[in-house]
Amino acid sequence: QVQLVESGGGLVQPGGSLRLSCAASGIMFSTHDRGWYRRAPGKQRALVARISFGTATDYADSVKGRSTISRDNAKNTVYLQMNSLKPEGTAVYFCNADHMCDNYWGQGTQVAVSS
């Protein structure tokens, strides 16, 4: 059984930090591209950050300089460190693993940025 489980979400004040984790099981995703996406209230799911199997990274303009995506292939886990969080970051965050037609999604973890 293949599953991706996100964790680390929660309520944080503006300017605070969170580290999201996504642990995978059932398949080793060492050669998959990995990514974090988010769905804000009333909006479609959008890319936050992604990291290739070769560790090249790509970030949405809205989070550049404030977020860092990383992966630990031995743990089959991808992380998203988010600093200087803004209210606009409030969303459900999903992790992804992708390789051609082999694509998987987690169920998401809620992040709320509010004072």
Side-chain angles (χ1 to χ4, degrees), residues 3-7 20-25 29 33-39 45-51 69-70 76-80 92-98 103-109:
Q3 61 179 5
L4 284 70
V5 180
E6 301 94 339
S7 62
L20 306 183
S21 300
C22 178
S25 62
F29 291 120
D33 294 340
R34 305 296 303 275
W36 287 95
Y37 295 73
R38 66 187 178 190
R39 176 177 287 172
R45 186 164 56 189
L47 173 71
V48 179
R50 57 188 170 196
I51 182 169
I69 187 171
S70 61
N76 214 15
T77 299
V78 63
Y79 305 92
L80 181 66
V92 178
Y93 286 70
F94 302 87
C95 72
N96 164 266
D98 177 68
N103 190 60
Y104 300 91
W105 292 92
Q107 293 299 307
T109 184

Side-chain angles (χ1 to χ4, degrees), residues 26-99:
I27 293 180
M28 291 299 296
F29 291 120
S30 59
T31 60
H32 287 64
D33 294 340
R34 305 296 303 275
W36 287 95
Y37 295 73
R38 66 187 178 190
R39 176 177 287 172
K43 298 182 179 180
Q44 295 185 350
R45 186 164 56 189
L47 173 71
V48 179
R50 57 188 170 196
I51 182 169
S52 73
F53 75 94
T55 68
T57 58
D58 188 24
Y59 297 91
D61 289 340
S62 60
V63 304
K64 286 182 179 178
R66 301 186 294 113
S67 299
T68 302
I69 187 171
S70 61
R71 64 192 298 169
D72 186 336
N73 288 335
K75 296 181 178 180
N76 214 15
T77 299
V78 63
Y79 305 92
L80 181 66
Q81 177 68 45
M82 300 189 292
N83 302 319
S84 301
L85 282 161
K86 301 178 180 179
E88 293 76 24
T90 296
V92 178
Y93 286 70
F94 302 87
C95 72
N96 164 266
D98 177 68
H99 180 69

